[in-house]
Amino acid sequence: MPATDHLIASAQALFSKVFGRAPVLGACAPGRVNLIGEHVDYQDGLVAPLAINRYVVAAAAAINEPEARIWSSTRNAPPVVVDLEHDTPLEADNAWANYVFGVIAAYREAGHNPGGFEIAFDCDLPAGAGLSSSAALESATAIIIEGLANIELPAKERAQLCRQAEHEYAGVPCGIMDQLAVNCGLAGHALAIDCRTLDISPFPMPGDLAMVVIDTKVKHSLADGEYALRKHDCETASEILSVRTLRDSSIVKIQEMRDQLGEQLYRRAHHVVSEIARVKDFTAAMKSGNAAFAGSLMNASHLSLRDDYQVSCPELDTLVEIACNLNAMGSRMMGGGFGGSTINLVQSPHANHFADQVVNTCREQHGWIPEAFVVSAVDGASFTRTS
Ligand code: GLA
């Protein structure tokens, strides 16, 4: 089911208010959670994300000038206007619109010209919560561009153009997981993705399990720089191990090479190699109905991200600890780290109670208030009706 009618109607009304006429095209793109497989996508690893029922929604219409006029309900500002002929990334207050501008540039470079347009975005997907709001913004833009250019690219191709935008215009050297999850989501399913081949095998989410996202509401400033450093560590470790990426190594090999790697690179490689093995075991466990084992692998993933990869933070560790004490089946940090959210696997009937309990315990014992909500697996980015 696409974004709620309420959100689609809201984006259309906002478009009309900002641009003074009705929109002609609409798109919606979901956020994503990742059940397991963190910081492995840029090492050709395996991941298990899914698209969730929180969205970025766009309403748009063509114009005759070679410009894009970009407006978002999340910014209290007039539209950002970009010249389509002049492709330098935007700066300062307008930098957020690079996620849009970058997608236009990527499509143009691939030979697809949407012409000029006006676009308004609305969303119920929080930004900065580790739920891929940037990939959703890129993907909603991509769908609109395809509508304007009268083309429909395969979802994987769209995902790759969106990632190119993120690399070249937002300056984030991310992997492909987020854009694939947002574009290839399947209702009721998680996606087992091989980030080397881009092969996607959906597997059903059992009805008796629920997913609870708990947002720390913090983002530590080192997040972006540390992401690039981790990626660089993996590349250096791969060179020392003489493999293309850490996907091609093994625990035995990195143990043999521990001295040559040194302690830091050993730990980084240990996380990536062990995490890829956990994803394999996790998908097998989910398919065979062994949710308890799947959950224990999520817990192990968190420890590996905390101790070996060192991308967690005190707030994430606190939420995971509370969740484990409340008997979540599995709980772990999600996304790049240093803030954002945890993903928790719990028995469906207890999901709302669990969410309340985590928030209350955190408030009472630690003095800060996270935000918790239950999510479900939905289809990937698509056009929406316009009225
Ligand atoms: C961010 C990136 C992804 C992935 C995760 C960590 O979300 O955009 O490509 O690397 O971090 O798993």
Side-chain angles (χ1 to χ4, degrees):
M1 149 135 170
T4 54
D5 286 351
H6 164 76
L7 199 57
I8 295 168
S10 166
Q12 289 172 355
L14 288 167
F15 180 96
S16 302
K17 193 168 154 214
V18 174
F19 296 112
R21 65 197 172 115
V24 178
L25 285 165
C28 82
R32 66 101 187 87
V33 295
N34 184 22
L35 294 173
I36 196 163
E38 216 65 85
H39 280 280
V40 298
D41 59 347
Y42 49 81
Q43 286 297 300
D44 291 342
L46 308 175
V47 295
L50 53 98
I52 56 166
N53 54 334
R54 293 285 188 121
Y55 302 89
V56 171
V57 174
I63 54 175
N64 289 325
E65 297 82 357
E67 295 183 342
R69 301 175 191 146
I70 308 162
W71 184 88
S72 166
S73 63
T74 61
R75 326 289 302 188
N76 187 15
V80 176
V81 179
V82 297
D83 177 351
L84 298 184
E85 312 291 329
H86 179 81
D87 66 345
T88 312
L90 304 155
E91 285 172 10
D93 284 355
N94 290 342
W96 70 271
N98 281 327
Y99 291 103
V100 180
F101 192 20
V103 177
I104 303 171
Y107 271 77
R108 283 168 65 96
E109 200 185 310
H112 309 299
N113 192 344
F117 61 97
E118 292 172 329
I119 189 163
F121 294 97
D122 198 9
C123 61
D124 64 1
L125 177 65
L131 299 173
S132 292
S133 62
S134 48
L137 180 58
E138 291 153 11
S139 304
T141 303
I143 299 266
I144 294 290
I145 290 174
E146 291 181 24
L148 291 164
N150 226 351
I151 53 170
E152 194 171 342
L153 297 190
K156 287 182 193 175
E157 217 173 297
R158 183 183 313 129
Q160 285 170 299
L161 290 175
C162 290
R163 178 179 55 165
Q164 183 183 329
E166 187 133 351
H167 282 195
E168 293 176 1
Y169 275 70
V172 183
C174 63
I176 190 72
M177 170 174 74
D178 302 347
Q179 290 80 6
L180 279 179
V182 166
N183 284 288
C184 304
L186 183 63
H189 292 71
L191 310 173
I193 304 179
D194 182 328
C195 295
R196 170 166 278 169
T197 60
L198 303 192
D199 189 53
I200 301 181
S201 320
F203 61 92
M205 285 301 292
D208 57 348
L209 293 184
M211 294 169 288
V212 182
V213 169
I214 309 180
D215 183 1
T216 60
K217 309 200 99 172
V218 300
K219 181 169 161 84
H220 294 291
S221 57
L222 18 104
D224 293 345
E226 292 289 324
Y227 186 92
L229 286 175
R230 293 301 178 283
K231 197 173 171 207
H232 186 255
D233 277 354
C234 290
E235 286 158 4
T236 313
S238 299
E239 264 171 48
I240 296 171
L241 293 160
S242 306
V243 289
R244 191 165 117 204
T245 57
L246 293 174
R247 168 78 180 269
D248 299 318
S249 197
S250 66
I251 293 288
V252 172
K253 187 77 201 290
I254 62 169
Q255 274 163 357
E256 275 169 18
M257 296 284 286
R258 190 166 184 158
D259 288 347
Q260 289 91 326
L261 286 165
E263 198 52 25
Q264 176 164 314
L265 295 186
Y266 169 76
R267 282 176 170 214
R268 304 297 189 244
H270 191 272
H271 165 71
V272 174
V273 172
S274 64
E275 182 79 350
I276 292 171
R278 279 187 289 275
V279 178
K280 269 190 206 152
D281 292 346
F282 179 90
T283 46
M286 290 293 277
K287 285 179 190 165
S288 66
N290 193 348
F293 182 51
S296 73
L297 292 165
M298 292 172 70
N299 298 338
S301 168
H302 183 77
L303 296 182
S304 179
L305 288 157
R306 186 190 72 184
D307 300 335
D308 279 345
Y309 220 61
Q310 297 177 298
V311 290
S312 189
C313 64
E315 294 87 351
L316 287 166
D317 295 341
T318 296
L319 291 182
V320 168
E321 194 189 316
I322 295 172
C324 290
N325 288 339
L326 290 169
N327 293 327
M329 306 187 81
S331 177
R332 52 179 290 274
M333 60 149 280
M334 184 173 61
F338 303 102
S341 304
T342 62
I343 175 76
N344 301 268
L345 206 57
V346 298
Q347 300 284 1
S348 292
H350 310 306
N352 288 318
H353 183 57
F354 168 82
D356 291 345
Q357 275 185 304
V358 175
V359 172
N360 291 337
T361 308
C362 192
R363 191 185 55 226
E364 283 157 21
Q365 295 181 3
H366 300 272
W368 55 277
I369 306 176
E371 190 179 343
F373 45 94
V374 179
V375 296
S376 56
V378 300
D379 287 330
S382 63
F383 285 106
T384 61
R385 57 161 185 77
T386 41
S387 47

